[in-house]
Amino acid sequence: MGEAVVDADKFRAEFLRVLRSRRSPEVPLNVKRTMPIQEPNPPAFSKAMASCPKATFSNLKDLLHEENLHLTTEEGEQGKLPILIISMKDSRQQKRPAIVFLHSTNKCKEWLRPLLEAYASRGYVAIAIDSRYHGERAKNKTTYYDALISSWKRGDTMPFIFDTVWDLIKLADYLTKREDIDPCRIGITGESLGGMHAWFAAAADTRYSVVVPIIGVQCFRWAIDNDKWQARVESIKPVFEEARIELGMNEINKEVVKKVWNRIAPGLVSQFGSIYSVPAIAPRPLLLLNGADDPRCPIAGLDAPVSKTQVAYQKFGCPENFKFIAQPGIGHEMTPEMVKEASQWFDRFLGHRIKDQLLD
């Protein structure tokens, strides 16, 4: 039992040291208001996002207040963090709970608008960002993959998960100073890549008080050891193909995979893996939502992380603050059931009562 307990403070100190090791110089937080992004191709309808409970208003669009901001998190082109904030116009004079929403690969903050509006209608301050090399931070459709390849070649950035986690730490600096946000009630959630961002940001920064990663949590080391890495690698294959060629391999194998992770996200398959990082979130309320048949986040690989996390919450005397749901028959997909489970979790633990009238 003693061996299963994670030293969360030690984990955070070491993780922050690694995050800082590849940073451009830090600069004072600077917030600039910008214009809304006009998308040439609006996001397609999402049944999952449309299922999110929202308060009933005949004129909801007229009641919403939207902010578009840029927050400087460090020097350099990628140090400009685009932020979209949606809240109710009549709620800005009092402190409200807030939730940060994080998009999946090749999406952007605007894609999350249905969730932002639904949560805002219920009294939350809803925030979304463009992760590194996505949305406003992308020059073209290959910007993210180009950044991964550059990281493999140069080892000077961490575009897979870690650099966006740095942005989320700086985002917490900003959100905790806003007059309309209760600094003790800031939640964080995300889908797929966004789920990974939410998981690691919460492990790194205790100001994220309620945490719901969706189809994101996995054990990268287990996947390598058990030859279950293929689906995750396929999602960002160009960097692994580049590494294969440079390493003189005939095919991508687990040695190539391990070397890539160690290069672009140092510690991901060792001291920062889910067996250490997920328990570090305790005792804050944590809901893990996955598909039982997800090849990118194999459920079998979560046996040890979930077990260690349960031990951590038991140690704190709050086992009810942790829940793991693997939805049967679901692969790598965010479902309406997951969206509703996340909504209920935030309502329960952020201490915010939904308005009496709901659509769902």
Side-chain angles (χ1 to χ4, degrees):
M1 180 72 73
E3 293 179 356
V5 176
V6 171
D7 187 332
D9 290 337
K10 182 178 179 181
F11 167 87
R12 277 188 280 276
E14 180 62 15
F15 187 51
L16 288 172
R17 185 192 67 77
V18 171
L19 289 186
R20 290 191 174 101
S21 69
R22 298 187 186 180
R23 298 263 69 78
S24 62
E26 291 187 49
V27 295
L29 283 181
N30 179 47
V31 182
K32 179 182 178 181
R33 296 195 177 276
T34 62
M35 296 298 293
I37 296 299
Q38 300 297 323
E39 291 186 281
N41 299 305
F45 174 80
S46 166
K47 183 179 179 181
M49 290 192 184
S51 70
C52 188
K54 57 184 176 182
T56 304
F57 294 102
S58 59
N59 60 334
L60 177 58
K61 294 284 187 180
D62 296 331
L63 300 175
L64 294 174
H65 173 69
E66 178 175 326
E67 298 174 70
N68 291 270
L69 310 170
H70 283 165
L71 177 68
T72 303
T73 63
E74 63 181 340
E75 287 187 356
E77 186 178 89
Q78 288 295 320
K80 183 186 296 182
L81 175 65
I83 307 171
L84 170 62
I85 301 177
I86 297 181
S87 60
M88 294 293 283
K89 290 178 180 178
D90 64 356
S91 69
R92 287 178 288 144
Q93 302 305 315
Q94 54 185 304
K95 290 186 179 295
R96 295 295 181 96
I99 302 176
V100 175
F101 298 83
L102 302 161
H103 62 76
S104 54
T105 303
N106 295 328
K107 298 295 195 305
C108 61
K109 61 187 183 302
E110 286 76 20
W111 186 71
L112 298 165
R113 188 177 291 276
L115 294 181
L116 302 182
E117 293 183 355
Y119 274 84
S121 76
R122 290 154 45 202
Y124 291 95
V125 178
I127 303 113
I129 69 166
D130 285 330
S131 63
R132 296 269 177 139
Y133 310 101
H134 288 73
E136 294 181 56
R137 307 168 96 176
K139 293 180 178 179
N140 52 54
K141 293 182 178 180
T142 67
T143 297
Y144 179 47
Y145 301 112
D146 294 343
L148 293 169
I149 292 172
S150 176
S151 178
W152 161 257
K153 289 178 174 292
R154 298 164 59 91
D156 57 348
T157 59
M158 296 179 284
F160 187 69
I161 305 176
F162 291 179
D163 284 342
T164 295
V165 170
W166 177 262
D167 292 332
L168 290 167
I169 292 171
K170 294 299 182 179
L171 178 66
D173 290 342
Y174 168 67
L175 296 179
T176 53
K177 292 179 173 65
R178 282 180 61 110
E179 294 183 356
D180 59 340
I181 291 177
D182 182 343
C184 297
R185 293 192 293 167
I186 301 177
I188 190 167
T189 185
E191 175 194 4
S192 191
L193 177 64
M196 291 186 260
H197 289 152
W199 147 31
F200 274 97
D205 196 326
T206 59
R207 291 174 295 183
Y208 290 111
S209 59
V210 182
V211 189
V212 186
I214 302 174
I215 61 170
V217 176
Q218 61 211 267
C219 184
F220 290 87
R221 182 55 187 260
W222 181 92
I224 291 173
D225 292 343
N226 291 273
D227 199 34
K228 298 292 184 182
W229 46 264
Q230 291 82 358
R232 171 55 60 199
V233 165
E234 190 66 29
S235 69
I236 51 171
K237 191 173 181 178
V239 64
F240 293 95
E241 186 62 24
E242 185 71 24
R244 177 195 70 77
I245 295 170
E246 287 197 12
L247 294 171
M249 300 287 189
N250 293 326
E251 62 181 11
I252 299 172
N253 56 34
K254 67 180 182 180
E255 291 304 317
V256 172
V257 174
K258 186 176 180 180
K259 287 180 183 296
V260 170
W261 291 142
N262 284 337
R263 182 71 163 171
I264 71 174
L268 187 64
V269 295
S270 53
Q271 74 266 34
F272 304 140
S274 55
I275 201 167
Y276 304 110
S277 51
V278 178
I281 297 173
R284 290 165 286 156
L286 168 64
L287 172 63
L288 305 184
L289 295 168
N290 283 61
D293 300 327
D294 188 342
R296 295 187 189 180
C297 305
I299 295 303
L302 290 178
D303 287 347
V306 167
S307 177
K308 286 216 172 191
T309 302
Q310 289 171 335
V311 168
Y313 280 85
Q314 289 165 0
K315 178 188 175 186
F316 279 106
C318 55
E320 70 281 359
N321 281 13
F322 173 65
K323 189 175 184 180
F324 171 54
I325 299 175
Q327 188 175 341
I330 298 298
H332 193 69
E333 174 191 358
M334 184 175 74
T335 66
E337 290 78 10
M338 293 176 186
V339 170
K340 292 176 182 177
E341 288 282 357
S343 176
Q344 292 169 7
W345 192 262
F346 284 123
D347 288 342
R348 175 183 174 188
F349 286 105
L350 283 181
H352 181 71
R353 294 183 179 179
I354 308 178
K355 296 179 183 295
D356 292 336
Q357 65 275 28
L358 292 179
L359 291 179
D360 299 286

